[in-house]
Amino acid sequence: MGFTADICDDYSDVVKVADPLFKRYGQKTHFSGPAATVRVFEDNVLVKKALQEISEGSVLVVDGGGSSRCALMGDNLAEIAVERKLAGVIVYGCIRDSDEIANMDVGIFALGTNPIKSVKKGIGDANIPVVFASVKWQPGEWVYADNDGILLSPDKLDV
């Protein structure tokens, strides 16, 4: 039985299901935790800052506007997530260094890869509701993710 499939069976009246747009990177096959959000566009300064500051066990949700023109995260930022024991990262955009990330104890969902790095202007917003993949991601909501999908719940579920 699957992690998110079981959650959907038990909590279908509670969870929201994100559109299946994402590919999984890293060694973690599933993760869950409270969401911390950032909204950026082709600029990863706030992504790095959030990775350095959010609470251990959190899921960083990055609304990158769905851009595929550059990467918002690579192996250096993924290493921060590993060192800080974050639950995982969801990127509505691209990552890079996917071969290195494949060998890291991290769970990342992203739209795809792009070798081009982002700009570094520090423009964006943090800790705000963001909307992508047909769901609204609220800071503090619980995220559950595995190869079958990504779910959101207003509260932590008994799973």
Coordinates of all heavy atoms in Angstrom, one line a residue, residues 69-147:
R69 N 13.0 28.1 -17.3 CA 14.1 28.8 -18.0 C 15.4 28.7 -17.1 O 16.5 29.1 -17.6 CB 13.7 30.2 -18.3 CG 12.6 30.3 -19.3 CD 12.4 31.7 -19.8 NE 11.9 32.5 -18.8 CZ 11.3 33.7 -19.0 NH1 11.1 34.1 -20.2 NH2 10.9 34.4 -18.0
C70 N 15.3 28.4 -15.8 CA 16.5 28.2 -15.0 C 16.1 27.4 -13.8 O 14.9 27.1 -13.6 CB 17.0 29.6 -14.5 SG 15.8 30.5 -13.4
A71 N 17.1 27.0 -13.0 CA 16.9 26.2 -11.8 C 16.8 27.1 -10.6 O 17.6 28.0 -10.5 CB 18.0 25.2 -11.7
L72 N 15.9 26.7 -9.7 CA 15.8 27.4 -8.4 C 16.5 26.7 -7.3 O 16.6 27.3 -6.2 CB 14.3 27.6 -8.1 CG 13.5 28.5 -9.0 CD1 12.0 28.5 -8.6 CD2 14.1 29.9 -9.0
M73 N 17.0 25.5 -7.6 CA 17.7 24.8 -6.5 C 18.7 23.8 -7.2 O 18.4 23.2 -8.2 CB 16.6 24.0 -5.7 CG 17.1 23.3 -4.6 SD 15.8 22.6 -3.6 CE 16.6 22.0 -2.2
G74 N 19.8 23.6 -6.6 CA 20.8 22.7 -7.0 C 21.3 21.9 -5.8 O 20.8 21.9 -4.7
D75 N 22.5 21.2 -6.0 CA 23.0 20.4 -5.0 C 23.4 21.1 -3.7 O 23.3 20.6 -2.6 CB 24.1 19.5 -5.5 CG 25.3 20.2 -6.0 OD1 25.2 21.4 -6.3 OD2 26.4 19.6 -6.1
N76 N 23.9 22.4 -3.9 CA 24.3 23.1 -2.7 C 23.1 23.5 -1.8 O 23.2 23.3 -0.6 CB 25.0 24.4 -3.1 CG 26.4 24.2 -3.7 OD1 27.0 23.2 -3.4 ND2 26.8 25.1 -4.6
L77 N 22.0 23.8 -2.4 CA 20.8 24.1 -1.6 C 20.2 22.8 -1.1 O 19.7 22.8 0.0 CB 19.8 24.9 -2.4 CG 20.2 26.4 -2.8 CD1 19.1 27.1 -3.4 CD2 20.9 27.1 -1.7
A78 N 20.2 21.8 -1.9 CA 19.7 20.5 -1.4 C 20.5 20.0 -0.2 O 19.9 19.5 0.8 CB 19.8 19.4 -2.5
E79 N 21.8 20.3 -0.1 CA 22.6 19.9 1.0 C 22.2 20.7 2.3 O 22.2 20.1 3.4 CB 24.1 20.2 0.7 CG 25.0 19.8 1.8 CD 25.0 18.3 2.1 OE1 24.8 17.5 1.1 OE2 25.1 17.9 3.3
I80 N 21.7 21.9 2.1 CA 21.2 22.7 3.3 C 20.0 21.9 3.8 O 19.8 21.8 5.0 CB 20.9 24.1 2.9 CG1 22.1 24.9 2.5 CG2 20.1 24.8 4.0 CD1 21.9 26.3 1.9
A81 N 19.1 21.5 2.9 CA 17.9 20.8 3.4 C 18.3 19.5 4.1 O 17.6 19.2 5.1 CB 17.0 20.5 2.1
V82 N 19.3 18.8 3.6 CA 19.7 17.6 4.3 C 20.3 17.9 5.7 O 19.9 17.3 6.7 CB 20.8 16.8 3.5 CG1 21.4 15.7 4.2 CG2 20.2 16.3 2.1
E83 N 21.2 18.9 5.7 CA 21.9 19.2 7.0 C 20.9 19.7 8.0 O 21.0 19.5 9.2 CB 23.0 20.3 6.8 CG 24.2 19.7 6.0 CD 25.2 20.8 5.6 OE1 24.9 22.0 5.9 OE2 26.2 20.5 5.0
R84 N 19.9 20.4 7.6 CA 18.9 21.0 8.5 C 17.7 20.1 8.8 O 16.8 20.4 9.5 CB 18.4 22.3 8.0 CG 19.5 23.3 7.9 CD 19.2 24.8 8.2 NE 18.4 25.0 9.4 CZ 17.1 25.3 9.4 NH1 16.5 25.5 8.2 NH2 16.5 25.5 10.5
K85 N 17.8 18.9 8.2 CA 16.8 17.8 8.5 C 15.4 18.3 8.1 O 14.4 18.1 8.8 CB 16.8 17.3 9.9 CG 18.1 16.6 10.3 CD 18.1 16.2 11.7 CE 19.3 15.4 12.1 NZ 20.6 16.1 12.1
L86 N 15.3 19.0 7.0 CA 13.9 19.4 6.5 C 13.3 18.1 5.9 O 13.9 17.2 5.4 CB 14.1 20.4 5.4 CG 14.8 21.7 5.8 CD1 14.8 22.7 4.7 CD2 14.1 22.3 7.1
A87 N 11.9 18.1 6.0 CA 11.2 16.9 5.5 C 11.3 16.8 4.0 O 11.5 15.7 3.5 CB 9.7 17.0 5.9
G88 N 11.3 17.9 3.2 CA 11.3 17.8 1.8 C 11.1 19.2 1.2 O 10.9 20.2 1.9
V89 N 11.2 19.2 -0.1 CA 11.0 20.5 -0.9 C 10.2 20.2 -2.1 O 10.3 19.2 -2.8 CB 12.4 21.0 -1.4 CG1 12.2 22.4 -2.1 CG2 13.4 21.2 -0.2
I90 N 9.2 21.1 -2.4 CA 8.4 21.0 -3.6 C 8.7 22.3 -4.4 O 8.5 23.4 -3.8 CB 6.9 20.9 -3.3 CG1 6.7 19.6 -2.5 CG2 6.1 21.0 -4.5 CD1 5.4 19.4 -1.9
V91 N 9.1 22.2 -5.6 CA 9.5 23.3 -6.5 C 8.6 23.4 -7.7 O 8.6 22.5 -8.5 CB 10.9 23.3 -6.9 CG1 11.3 24.5 -7.7 CG2 11.9 23.1 -5.7
Y92 N 7.8 24.4 -7.8 CA 7.0 24.7 -9.0 C 7.9 25.4 -9.9 O 7.8 26.6 -10.1 CB 5.7 25.4 -8.7 CG 4.8 25.6 -9.8 CD1 4.4 24.5 -10.6 CD2 4.3 26.9 -10.2 CE1 3.5 24.7 -11.6 CE2 3.4 27.0 -11.2 CZ 3.0 25.9 -12.0 OH 2.2 26.1 -13.0
G93 N 8.9 24.7 -10.4 CA 9.9 25.2 -11.3 C 10.9 24.1 -11.4 O 10.6 22.9 -11.2
C94 N 12.2 24.4 -11.8 CA 13.2 23.4 -12.1 C 14.3 23.4 -11.0 O 14.5 24.4 -10.3 CB 13.8 23.7 -13.4 SG 12.7 23.4 -14.8
I95 N 15.0 22.3 -11.0 CA 16.2 22.1 -10.2 C 17.4 21.8 -11.2 O 17.2 21.6 -12.3 CB 16.1 21.0 -9.1 CG1 15.9 19.7 -9.8 CG2 14.9 21.3 -8.2 CD1 16.2 18.5 -8.9
R96 N 18.6 21.7 -10.6 CA 19.7 21.3 -11.4 C 20.6 20.4 -10.5 O 20.3 20.2 -9.3 CB 20.5 22.5 -12.0 CG 21.2 23.3 -10.9 CD 21.8 24.5 -11.6 NE 22.9 25.1 -10.9 CZ 23.8 25.9 -11.3 NH1 23.8 26.2 -12.6 NH2 24.8 26.4 -10.6
D97 N 21.7 19.9 -11.0 CA 22.5 18.9 -10.3 C 21.8 17.7 -9.9 O 22.0 17.1 -8.8 CB 23.2 19.6 -9.1 CG 23.9 20.9 -9.4 OD1 24.7 20.9 -10.4 OD2 23.8 21.9 -8.6
S98 N 20.9 17.2 -10.8 CA 20.0 16.1 -10.4 C 20.8 14.8 -10.1 O 20.4 14.0 -9.3 CB 18.9 15.9 -11.5 OG 19.5 15.6 -12.7
D99 N 21.9 14.6 -10.8 CA 22.7 13.4 -10.5 C 23.3 13.4 -9.1 O 23.3 12.4 -8.4 CB 23.8 13.2 -11.6 CG 23.3 12.8 -12.9 OD1 22.2 12.2 -13.0 OD2 24.0 13.0 -13.9
E100 N 23.7 14.5 -8.7 CA 24.3 14.7 -7.3 C 23.1 14.5 -6.3 O 23.2 13.8 -5.3 CB 25.0 16.0 -7.1 CG 26.3 16.1 -7.9 CD 26.1 16.6 -9.3 OE1 25.0 16.7 -9.8 OE2 27.2 16.8 -10.0
I101 N 22.0 15.2 -6.6 CA 20.8 15.1 -5.7 C 20.3 13.7 -5.6 O 19.8 13.3 -4.5 CB 19.8 16.1 -6.1 CG1 20.3 17.5 -5.9 CG2 18.4 15.8 -5.5 CD1 19.4 18.6 -6.5
A102 N 20.4 12.9 -6.6 CA 20.0 11.5 -6.6 C 20.7 10.7 -5.5 O 20.1 9.7 -5.1 CB 20.2 10.9 -8.0
N103 N 21.9 11.1 -5.1 CA 22.6 10.4 -4.1 C 22.5 11.0 -2.7 O 23.2 10.6 -1.8 CB 24.1 10.3 -4.5 CG 24.3 9.5 -5.8 OD1 23.8 8.4 -5.9 ND2 25.0 10.1 -6.7
M104 N 21.6 12.0 -2.6 CA 21.5 12.7 -1.3 C 20.2 12.2 -0.5 O 19.2 11.9 -1.2 CB 21.4 14.2 -1.6 CG 22.6 14.7 -2.2 SD 22.5 16.5 -2.8 CE 22.7 17.3 -1.2
D105 N 20.3 12.3 0.8 CA 19.1 11.9 1.6 C 18.2 13.1 1.7 O 18.0 13.7 2.8 CB 19.6 11.5 3.0 CG 18.5 11.0 3.9 OD1 17.5 10.5 3.4 OD2 18.6 11.1 5.1
V106 N 17.5 13.3 0.6 CA 16.6 14.4 0.5 C 15.4 14.0 -0.4 O 15.6 13.1 -1.2 CB 17.3 15.7 -0.1 CG1 17.7 15.5 -1.5 CG2 16.4 16.9 0.1
G107 N 14.3 14.6 -0.2 CA 13.1 14.4 -1.1 C 12.7 15.7 -1.7 O 12.5 16.7 -1.0
I108 N 12.8 15.8 -3.0 CA 12.5 17.0 -3.8 C 11.5 16.6 -4.9 O 11.8 15.7 -5.6 CB 13.7 17.7 -4.4 CG1 14.7 18.1 -3.3 CG2 13.4 18.9 -5.2 CD1 16.1 18.5 -3.8
F109 N 10.5 17.4 -5.0 CA 9.6 17.3 -6.2 C 9.7 18.6 -7.0 O 9.6 19.7 -6.4 CB 8.1 17.1 -5.8 CG 7.8 15.6 -5.4 CD1 8.1 15.2 -4.1 CD2 7.4 14.7 -6.3 CE1 7.8 13.9 -3.7 CE2 7.1 13.4 -5.9 CZ 7.3 13.0 -4.6
A110 N 9.9 18.5 -8.3 CA 10.1 19.6 -9.1 C 9.5 19.3 -10.5 O 9.2 18.1 -10.8 CB 11.5 20.1 -9.3
L111 N 9.3 20.4 -11.3 CA 8.7 20.1 -12.6 C 9.7 19.5 -13.6 O 9.3 18.7 -14.5 CB 8.3 21.5 -13.2 CG 7.1 22.2 -12.5 CD1 6.8 23.5 -13.2 CD2 5.9 21.3 -12.4
G112 N 11.0 19.7 -13.4 CA 12.0 19.1 -14.2 C 13.4 19.7 -13.9 O 13.6 20.3 -12.8
T113 N 14.3 19.6 -14.8 CA 15.7 20.1 -14.6 C 16.0 21.1 -15.7 O 15.5 21.1 -16.8 CB 16.7 19.0 -14.6 OG1 16.6 18.3 -15.9 CG2 16.4 18.0 -13.5
N114 N 17.0 22.0 -15.3 CA 17.6 23.0 -16.2 C 19.0 23.3 -15.6 O 19.1 23.6 -14.5 CB 16.7 24.2 -16.3 CG 17.2 25.2 -17.4 OD1 18.4 25.4 -17.5 ND2 16.3 25.7 -18.2
P115 N 20.0 23.3 -16.4 CA 21.4 23.5 -15.9 C 21.7 25.0 -15.6 O 22.7 25.3 -15.0 CB 22.3 23.0 -17.0 CG 21.5 23.1 -18.3 CD 20.1 22.9 -17.9
I116 N 20.8 25.9 -16.1 CA 21.1 27.3 -15.9 C 20.7 27.8 -14.5 O 19.6 27.5 -14.0 CB 20.3 28.2 -16.9 CG1 20.7 27.8 -18.3 CG2 20.4 29.7 -16.7 CD1 19.8 28.3 -19.4
K117 N 21.6 28.5 -13.8 CA 21.3 29.0 -12.5 C 20.4 30.2 -12.5 O 20.3 30.9 -13.5 CB 22.6 29.3 -11.7 CG 23.4 30.5 -12.3 CD 24.7 30.7 -11.4 CE 25.5 31.8 -12.0 NZ 26.8 32.0 -11.3
S118 N 19.8 30.5 -11.4 CA 18.9 31.6 -11.3 C 19.6 32.9 -11.1 O 20.8 32.9 -10.7 CB 17.8 31.4 -10.2 OG 18.5 31.6 -8.9
V119 N 18.9 34.0 -11.2 CA 19.5 35.3 -10.8 C 19.5 35.4 -9.3 O 18.9 34.6 -8.6 CB 18.7 36.5 -11.4 CG1 18.8 36.4 -13.0 CG2 17.3 36.5 -11.0
K120 N 20.2 36.4 -8.8 CA 20.3 36.6 -7.3 C 19.9 38.0 -6.9 O 20.8 38.8 -6.6 CB 21.7 36.3 -6.9 CG 22.3 34.9 -7.3 CD 21.8 33.8 -6.5 CE 22.6 32.5 -6.9 NZ 21.8 31.6 -7.7
K121 N 18.7 38.3 -7.0 CA 18.2 39.7 -6.7 C 17.5 39.8 -5.4 O 17.3 40.8 -4.8 CB 17.3 40.2 -7.8 CG 18.1 40.4 -9.1 CD 17.1 41.0 -10.2 CE 17.9 41.2 -11.5 NZ 17.0 41.7 -12.6
G122 N 17.0 38.6 -4.9 CA 16.3 38.6 -3.6 C 14.8 39.1 -3.7 O 14.3 39.5 -2.7
I123 N 14.2 39.0 -4.9 CA 12.9 39.5 -5.1 C 11.9 38.3 -4.9 O 12.1 37.2 -5.4 CB 12.7 40.1 -6.5 CG1 13.6 41.3 -6.7 CG2 11.2 40.4 -6.8 CD1 13.7 41.8 -8.1
G124 N 10.8 38.6 -4.1 CA 9.8 37.5 -3.9 C 9.2 37.8 -2.6 O 9.3 38.8 -1.9
D125 N 8.4 36.8 -2.1 CA 7.6 36.8 -0.9 C 7.8 35.5 -0.2 O 7.9 34.4 -0.8 CB 6.1 37.1 -1.2 CG 5.9 38.4 -1.9 OD1 6.1 39.4 -1.2 OD2 5.5 38.3 -3.1
A126 N 7.7 35.6 1.2 CA 7.8 34.4 2.0 C 6.6 34.3 3.0 O 6.0 35.3 3.3 CB 9.1 34.4 2.8
N127 N 6.2 33.1 3.4 CA 5.2 32.8 4.3 C 3.8 33.4 3.9 O 3.2 34.1 4.7 CB 5.6 33.4 5.7 CG 6.8 32.7 6.2 OD1 6.9 31.4 6.1 ND2 7.7 33.4 6.8
I128 N 3.5 33.2 2.6 CA 2.2 33.7 2.1 C 1.5 32.5 1.4 O 2.2 31.5 1.0 CB 2.4 34.8 1.1 CG1 3.3 34.3 -0.1 CG2 3.0 36.1 1.7 CD1 3.2 35.2 -1.3
P129 N 0.2 32.5 1.3 CA -0.4 31.5 0.5 C 0.0 31.6 -1.0 O 0.2 32.7 -1.5 CB -1.9 31.8 0.6 CG -2.0 32.7 1.8 CD -0.7 33.5 1.9
V130 N 0.2 30.4 -1.6 CA 0.6 30.4 -3.0 C -0.4 29.4 -3.7 O -0.9 28.5 -3.0 CB 2.1 30.0 -3.2 CG1 3.0 31.1 -2.7 CG2 2.4 28.7 -2.6
V131 N -0.6 29.6 -5.0 CA -1.5 28.7 -5.7 C -0.8 28.2 -7.0 O -0.3 29.0 -7.8 CB -2.7 29.5 -6.2 CG1 -3.7 28.6 -7.0 CG2 -3.5 30.1 -4.9
F132 N -0.7 26.9 -7.1 CA -0.2 26.2 -8.3 C -0.6 24.7 -8.2 O -1.0 24.3 -7.1 CB 1.3 26.3 -8.5 CG 2.2 25.8 -7.4 CD1 2.5 24.4 -7.4 CD2 2.6 26.6 -6.3 CE1 3.3 23.9 -6.4 CE2 3.4 26.1 -5.3 CZ 3.8 24.7 -5.3
A133 N -0.6 24.0 -9.3 CA -1.0 22.6 -9.4 C -2.4 22.5 -8.9 O -2.8 21.5 -8.3 CB 0.0 21.7 -8.6
S134 N -3.3 23.5 -9.1 CA -4.7 23.5 -8.8 C -5.0 23.4 -7.4 O -6.2 23.1 -7.0 CB -5.4 22.3 -9.6 OG -5.3 22.5 -11.0
V135 N -4.1 23.8 -6.5 CA -4.4 23.8 -5.1 C -3.7 25.1 -4.5 O -2.8 25.7 -5.0 CB -3.9 22.6 -4.3 CG1 -4.6 21.4 -4.7 CG2 -2.4 22.4 -4.5
K136 N -4.3 25.5 -3.4 CA -3.8 26.7 -2.6 C -3.0 26.1 -1.5 O -3.4 25.3 -0.7 CB -4.9 27.5 -2.0 CG -4.5 28.8 -1.4 CD -5.7 29.6 -1.0 CE -5.3 31.0 -0.5 NZ -6.5 31.8 -0.2
W137 N -1.7 26.5 -1.4 CA -0.7 26.0 -0.4 C -0.7 27.1 0.7 O -0.2 28.2 0.5 CB 0.6 25.8 -1.0 CG 0.6 25.0 -2.3 CD1 0.2 25.3 -3.5 CD2 1.1 23.7 -2.4 NE1 0.4 24.3 -4.4 CE2 0.9 23.3 -3.7 CE3 1.7 22.8 -1.5 CZ2 1.3 22.0 -4.2 CZ3 2.1 21.5 -2.0 CH2 1.9 21.1 -3.3
Q138 N -1.1 26.8 1.9 CA -1.1 27.7 3.0 C 0.1 27.4 3.9 O 0.3 26.2 4.3 CB -2.4 27.5 3.8 CG -3.6 27.9 3.1 CD -3.9 29.4 3.2 OE1 -3.2 30.2 3.6 NE2 -5.1 29.7 2.6
P139 N 0.8 28.4 4.4 CA 1.9 28.1 5.4 C 1.3 27.4 6.6 O 0.2 27.8 7.0 CB 2.4 29.5 5.7 CG 2.1 30.3 4.5 CD 0.8 29.8 4.0
G140 N 1.9 26.3 7.1 CA 1.5 25.6 8.2 C 0.6 24.4 7.9 O 0.4 23.5 8.7
E141 N 0.0 24.4 6.7 CA -0.7 23.2 6.2 C 0.2 22.0 6.2 O 1.4 22.2 5.9 CB -1.3 23.4 4.8 CG -2.7 24.0 4.8 CD -3.3 23.9 3.4 OE1 -2.6 24.1 2.4 OE2 -4.5 23.8 3.4
W142 N -0.3 20.8 6.3 CA 0.5 19.6 6.2 C 0.6 19.1 4.8 O -0.4 19.0 4.1 CB 0.1 18.5 7.2 CG 0.7 18.8 8.5 CD1 0.3 19.8 9.4 CD2 1.8 18.2 9.1 NE1 1.1 19.8 10.5 CE2 2.0 18.8 10.4 CE3 2.6 17.1 8.7 CZ2 3.1 18.4 11.2 CZ3 3.6 16.7 9.6 CH2 3.9 17.4 10.8
V143 N 1.8 18.8 4.4 CA 2.1 18.3 3.0 C 2.5 16.8 3.2 O 3.3 16.5 4.1 CB 3.2 19.0 2.4 CG1 3.6 18.5 1.0 CG2 2.9 20.5 2.3
Y144 N 1.9 16.0 2.3 CA 2.3 14.5 2.3 C 2.6 14.2 0.8 O 1.8 14.6 -0.1 CB 1.1 13.7 2.7 CG 0.7 14.0 4.1 CD1 -0.2 15.0 4.5 CD2 1.2 13.2 5.2 CE1 -0.6 15.2 5.8 CE2 0.8 13.5 6.5 CZ -0.1 14.5 6.8 OH -0.4 14.7 8.1
A145 N 3.8 13.7 0.6 CA 4.2 13.5 -0.8 C 4.9 12.1 -1.0 O 5.7 11.7 -0.1 CB 5.2 14.6 -1.2
D146 N 4.6 11.5 -2.1 CA 5.3 10.3 -2.5 C 5.2 10.1 -4.0 O 4.7 11.0 -4.7 CB 4.9 9.0 -1.8 CG 3.4 8.6 -2.1 OD1 2.8 9.1 -3.0 OD2 2.9 7.6 -1.4
N147 N 5.6 9.0 -4.6 CA 5.6 8.8 -6.0 C 4.2 8.8 -6.6 O 4.0 9.0 -7.8 CB 6.3 7.5 -6.4 CG 7.8 7.6 -6.3 OD1 8.3 8.7 -6.5 ND2 8.4 6.5 -6.0

